Amino acid sequence: MVKVNENYLKLKAGYLFPEIAKRVRLHSQKINPLDLIKLGIGDVTEPLPKICIEAMSNALKEMSTSEGFKGYGPEQGYKWLREKIAKNDFSARGCEIDADEIFISDGSKCDTSNILDILGNDNQIAVTDPVYPVYVDSNVMTGRTGNALDKGGYEGLTYLPISEENDFKPEIPSTKLDIIYLCFPNNPTGATISKDEIKKWVNYANDNNSLIFFDAAYEAFIKDVNIPHSIYEIEGAKNCAIEFRSFSKNAGFTGVRCAYTVIPKSLKGICSYGDEIDLWSLWNRRQSTKFNGVSYIVQRGAEAVYSQEGKIEVQNLVDFYMNNAEIMRNRLINAGFKVYGGVNAPYVWLKVPDKMSSWDFFDYLLEKSNVVGTPGSGFGLAGEGYFRLSAFNSLENVTSAMERIINI
Ligand SMILES: *Cc1c(COP(=O)(O)O)cnc(C)c1O
């Protein structure tokens, strides 16, 4: 018989979201399912920007003519999109990123996992705890960890705890790490990082020849002008960081699928015989071999995000969700909850009251208010005692969920 990749057997069987679904399903049998309000999964709810729809329908019409038909596009993405990204997301913020250094893809979930393809198996890898589970599981699947530990987490991975004590910002390690995943604004905690703080990470990485994976999927939600949108706003970052961006949360592309990854040409890795190799070439080779690009139609939709109208529509979407987040924050604070996040990120991260566990609070909220959230412990050991509520919902649902929670 074929042999399976036994690394998959180490995975703590996709525990979080299936378990939530199971508990919600059981509860739904006792109530009118229409009474449920789901503030659990981080998926957008509002329709696509009109200008993106228009761009995509025009692109589709183009494809229906022999002059406009497009077959395979460049694996790295169309130049016109890469140039718009370089100009609007980087040049405009004082970062010098070349269009060539931008690789268009069908999602940051895939990119943050696939990037491991071009890196050795014997790197010391660090994630924050709590963390976006994709980073951990993709390392497990590729054999970069040992077994799951009884107390939670995996052998061989380094966990950088984030909690109230450090304002949900990981401390700079005293040991040498090779790869560090950082996500700011953060999912699940909603925390952000200042220029000075991220500068310390860039310095650490350059001093130790480490590589930072910077996931900026939520950069559009930053309101505070002092918070960096890109790690490349920090001097030296082009020598130590790969940045992941996505159109999923800002333009509502979770179902359309478009994202990009920035690999500066100055980034280097080392091979066992001591030669330095540039990571750009490896990723370019990887994408050319294993990926055939994002659809022309979708890339035209993403391009429209950078039009004048697109920028306004995206800002309106972001403002809509951030108004939800503000309502959630204010109401929960008034009701006596200890609340984090929700200011520069669409997630509110609350401290579970009365020393309940995260799952106890999940059940309590579901039973008493028919509101679904996400237990903090599902994102890692250090998430125990916290609970995530997402601002991705209608104003009506958010308002009524808050009323119900407050009136329990
Ligand atoms: C939603 C999200 C993404 C975006 O993923 P896509 O695959 O581009 O939809 C990336 N990172 C984090 C932490 C997220 O929450």
Side-chain angles (χ1 to χ4, degrees):
M1 251 189 269
V2 290
K3 294 168 189 80
V4 300
N5 178 352
E6 288 182 21
N7 294 313
Y8 279 61
L9 310 181
K10 295 180 196 161
L11 291 166
K12 288 250 182 67
Y15 180 66
L16 180 60
F17 290 105
E19 181 62 27
I20 291 176
K22 190 180 111 199
R23 294 189 192 203
V24 170
R25 200 166 52 241
L26 283 174
H27 180 70
S28 300
Q29 292 163 359
K30 297 187 284 181
I31 60 155
N32 177 354
L34 294 176
D35 283 344
L36 270 183
I37 300 180
K38 294 184 179 174
L39 302 179
I41 294 175
D43 194 359
V44 295
T45 53
E46 296 307 296
L48 293 169
K50 287 194 188 65
I51 194 83
C52 298
I53 305 274
E54 208 177 290
M56 287 192 276
S57 36
N58 287 340
L60 184 58
K61 281 186 203 126
E62 253 183 86
M63 293 278 247
S64 71
T65 65
S66 21
E67 307 80 54
F69 174 77
K70 306 264 181 314
Y72 291 124
E75 291 94 347
Q76 302 80 356
Y78 284 101
K79 200 160 174 66
W80 35 263
L81 177 57
R82 300 167 90 192
E83 278 170 352
K84 290 228 165 61
I85 292 171
K87 177 164 172 271
N88 288 280
D89 287 345
F90 297 103
S91 262
R93 294 197 180 275
C95 316
E96 275 176 49
I97 294 294
D98 202 77
D100 270 0
E101 298 175 311
I102 294 162
F103 292 84
I104 311 298
S105 79
D106 59 350
S108 286
K109 190 187 200 176
C110 347
D111 284 353
T112 54
S113 310
N114 291 337
I115 194 72
L116 293 172
D117 263 17
I118 64 163
L119 297 158
N121 264 333
D122 47 358
N123 286 301
Q124 190 57 46
I125 294 172
V127 294
T128 62
D129 177 13
V131 70
Y132 179 54
V134 173
Y135 310 153
V136 173
D137 289 0
S138 54
N139 274 285
V140 176
M141 290 171 167
T142 54
R144 285 171 165 86
T145 71
N147 288 317
L149 298 164
D150 288 339
K151 63 176 169 72
Y154 291 88
E155 221 177 334
L157 272 188
T158 301
Y159 292 90
L160 308 169
I162 51 175
S163 68
E164 285 157 294
E165 276 94 70
N166 55 19
D167 210 12
F168 300 99
K169 284 160 209 168
E171 265 138 49
I172 304 290
S174 50
T175 55
K176 188 177 156 9
L177 299 167
D178 298 308
I179 296 170
I180 304 118
Y181 290 77
L182 296 177
C183 172
F184 289 104
N186 189 255
N187 175 14
T189 67
T192 52
I193 196 159
S194 71
K195 262 191 191 148
D196 284 346
E197 289 157 340
I198 191 71
K199 191 171 187 337
K200 288 183 192 150
W201 277 102
V202 168
N203 291 343
Y204 167 87
N206 281 327
D207 290 346
N208 290 281
N209 289 320
S210 325
L211 178 62
I212 295 173
F213 288 160
F214 193 73
D215 185 344
Y218 295 97
E219 64 77 33
F221 296 85
I222 295 172
K223 281 191 198 156
D224 186 335
V225 292
N226 295 313
I227 296 174
H229 287 243
S230 166
I231 196 166
Y232 305 118
E233 289 178 49
I234 312 304
E235 209 188 310
K238 277 167 75 177
N239 295 321
C240 67
I242 290 176
E243 183 163 303
F244 302 96
R245 294 272 193 111
S246 172
F247 296 97
S248 282
K249 311 296 162 48
N250 60 348
F253 272 35
T254 53
V256 176
R257 310 306 302 143
C258 197
Y260 66 86
T261 288
V262 183
I263 314 226
K265 290 195 169 155
S266 44
L267 268 186
K268 299 263 194 280
I270 197 152
C271 50
S272 55
Y273 46 89
D275 280 11
E276 286 189 1
I277 310 283
D278 74 286
L279 299 183
W280 184 94
S281 301
L282 298 187
W283 185 247
N284 191 48
R285 185 63 203 263
R286 191 263 171 215
Q287 290 299 81
S288 306
T289 302
K290 293 198 182 184
F291 187 56
N292 251 335
V294 175
S295 105
Y296 171 71
I297 299 161
V298 165
Q299 290 191 66
R300 283 294 184 201
E303 183 192 28
V305 165
Y306 298 102
S307 65
Q308 223 173 357
E309 203 180 322
K311 286 177 187 171
I312 294 168
E313 285 193 81
V314 165
Q315 192 56 53
N316 289 342
L317 278 174
V318 166
D319 290 347
F320 172 84
Y321 293 124
M322 290 313 288
N323 179 55
N324 285 348
E326 193 178 334
I327 290 170
M328 290 160 71
R329 255 186 79 84
N330 291 341
R331 307 245 163 121
L332 292 166
I333 290 170
N334 284 339
F337 285 96
K338 231 175 165 185
V339 175
Y340 300 92
V343 180
N344 293 289
Y347 296 113
V348 168
W349 184 246
L350 53 99
K351 181 101 178 149
V352 170
D354 305 327
K355 301 211 163 79
M356 280 169 129
S357 76
S358 295
W359 276 112
D360 286 347
F361 187 68
F362 173 90
D363 290 332
Y364 174 77
L365 214 58
L366 187 60
E367 283 295 324
K368 304 270 183 188
S369 68
N370 297 327
V371 173
V372 183
T374 315
S377 56
F379 298 101
L381 264 186
E384 181 56 273
Y386 295 93
F387 199 75
R388 190 189 78 175
L389 290 172
S390 152
F392 293 127
N393 214 313
S394 67
L395 176 61
E396 191 193 351
N397 278 347
V398 162
T399 318
S400 94
M402 291 309 113
E403 249 151 53
R404 291 190 206 168
I405 294 176
I406 287 160
N407 294 320
I408 284 178

